Amino acid sequence: MHAPISQDHIDAYARDGAVLVKGLFADHVTALRAGVARNMAEPGPYAAENLKEGEGGRFFDDYCNWTRIPEFEDVIKHSPASEIAADLMQSASVQLFHDHVLVKEPGTSKPTPWHQDGPYYFVEGQQNVSFWSPLDPVTDASLRCVAGSHLWERQVLPTRWLSEDNFYPDDAAFMPVPDPDGEGMRVLEWELEPGDAVAFHFRCLHGARGNETVSRRRAFSLRLVGDDARYVERPGRTSPPFPGHDMVPGQRLREDWFPILLQR
C-alpha cells in the first residue's frame, strides 16, 4: 500500500465510489499549471468552450494531450498516481486511459452537469479510477460525487454538456439524470488545496457548481484502468472518440495508445 492512503481509503472507494486523497499531486502543481497554460494557449482537437452565448465567464476543457504536453506526460509517469490507483482499484496493472483539463474562470456561473463518465467511454470494467485535482484552492466549486452511485444497476443517460441533448439514441437503456440535492442523495464534496485529488469511479455520478469566486479554478484529471478493462462498442460516438483504434469488443486496450504505467 502506497502512502498517502490507507485501508480506510480503499474501503471508502469500494463503498462510496469516491474518496479524497490529500496531496496526491502536491509535488507537481507547478508543472501541471504550466501544462494547463500550454494547453489553453495551444488547444488540442478536442478542446471545447462549454458556455452558451450570453453566459458569463469561461468554461474550457480539453483532453488526450499527454503526448504533446511534456508537463502532463512527466506527471503521469512520475507522480504516485499509478501506485495509488493500483491500491484503490485492487489491480495488479495500471493502464493510462486519458488526461483531461477543466478550467472555470472567475464569474463562471455554469455548473458542470451531473453525469457518469462510464457511458461516454468505450471501456468497461470495475477496476478504474479518475483523479480530479485542483490547481487552485477550491471550496464551492469543488467536485461533488454521489456516494454509492457507481453500484447502481442502470447507468445515467449521457448528454452533451452544451446542447443538453442525448448522447446516445437509446434512452431506455439508461436512467434519467437525477437531481441528487432534490432527491436527498448523499453527496460527497471536499474543500481542496492545490495538489489534493478526489479519486472517483467511472460510474460515480458527479458534477460541480459554477465558479462564482474571484479566483480561477483549474483542474487536472487523470483516467486510469486496471486488469479487467476491456474495449466495448457504444451505440454512438464515444468521448473521447479515439478514431481509428482498430480494437474489437472484449479486447484489452492497445498498449501503444494506452500504455501500462504499472505492473505488479
Side-chain angles (χ1 to χ4, degrees):
M1 194 173 303
H2 193 287
I5 71 166
S6 66
Q7 188 62 46
D8 288 344
H9 289 82
I10 296 171
D11 293 344
Y13 188 72
R15 179 187 67 243
D16 297 333
V19 70
L20 171 62
V21 181
K22 293 289 293 181
L24 178 61
F25 296 109
D27 294 337
H28 303 275
V29 171
T30 299
L32 288 172
R33 286 173 175 168
V36 170
R38 187 194 299 264
N39 196 165
M40 296 184 77
E42 305 169 10
Y46 304 130
E49 299 287 349
N50 296 288
L51 297 181
K52 297 178 181 178
E53 186 175 353
E55 293 179 322
R58 184 185 184 189
F59 183 5
F60 169 89
D61 85 292
D62 198 2
Y63 46 51
C64 302
N65 289 297
W66 69 273
T67 58
R68 69 182 190 89
I69 297 183
E71 294 89 348
F72 293 168
E73 182 176 15
D74 182 67
V75 171
I76 289 168
K77 292 183 176 179
H78 298 110
S79 74
S82 296
E83 292 279 358
I84 299 296
D87 292 339
L88 292 175
M89 296 188 296
Q90 295 292 279
S91 175
S93 65
V94 177
Q95 190 170 10
L96 174 62
F97 189 36
H98 70 280
D99 58 279
H100 193 179
V101 165
L102 303 105
V103 178
K104 288 185 180 179
E105 299 289 5
T108 305
S109 60
K110 185 180 180 68
T112 303
W114 289 107
H115 66 286
Q116 294 171 316
D117 289 339
Y120 294 82
Y121 297 162
F122 63 25
V123 63
E124 282 283 12
Q126 291 302 311
Q127 291 170 302
N128 61 68
V129 64
S130 290
F131 293 114
W132 184 94
S133 181
L135 307 179
D136 308 281
V138 295
T139 53
D140 291 345
S142 184
L143 192 72
R144 310 182 73 213
C145 298
V146 176
S149 54
H150 66 306
L151 302 175
W152 291 349
E153 186 173 337
R154 296 176 69 204
Q155 296 187 76
V156 173
L157 180 68
T159 60
R160 295 178 178 86
W161 287 3
L162 193 59
S163 62
E164 299 178 359
D165 59 351
N166 295 353
F167 202 78
Y168 296 141
D170 186 8
D171 293 8
F174 301 92
M175 64 181 287
V177 180
D179 175 8
D181 294 312
E183 297 176 35
M185 297 177 179
R186 185 162 72 96
V187 177
L188 306 173
E189 57 183 315
W190 299 269
E191 293 187 4
L192 305 174
E193 293 299 320
D196 291 345
V198 177
F200 64 99
H201 196 276
F202 287 3
R203 288 197 177 194
C204 178
L205 186 71
H206 62 284
R209 298 185 181 92
N211 180 21
E212 303 278 12
T213 71
V214 296
S215 302
R216 309 180 78 189
R217 197 223 65 182
R218 294 165 290 181
F220 174 77
S221 280
L222 182 60
R223 326 289 191 189
L224 305 171
V225 297
D227 297 335
D228 70 350
R230 297 292 185 271
Y231 171 72
V232 64
E233 288 186 345
R234 300 293 187 191
R237 184 175 182 263
T238 59
S239 174
F242 292 117
H245 55 75
D246 297 325
M247 290 182 290
V248 298
Q251 181 180 347
R252 293 199 68 169
L253 302 187
R254 51 184 295 178
E255 294 180 15
D256 54 338
W257 286 28
F258 308 95
I260 300 290
L261 302 177
L262 178 71
Q263 182 67 60
R264 288 178 172 169

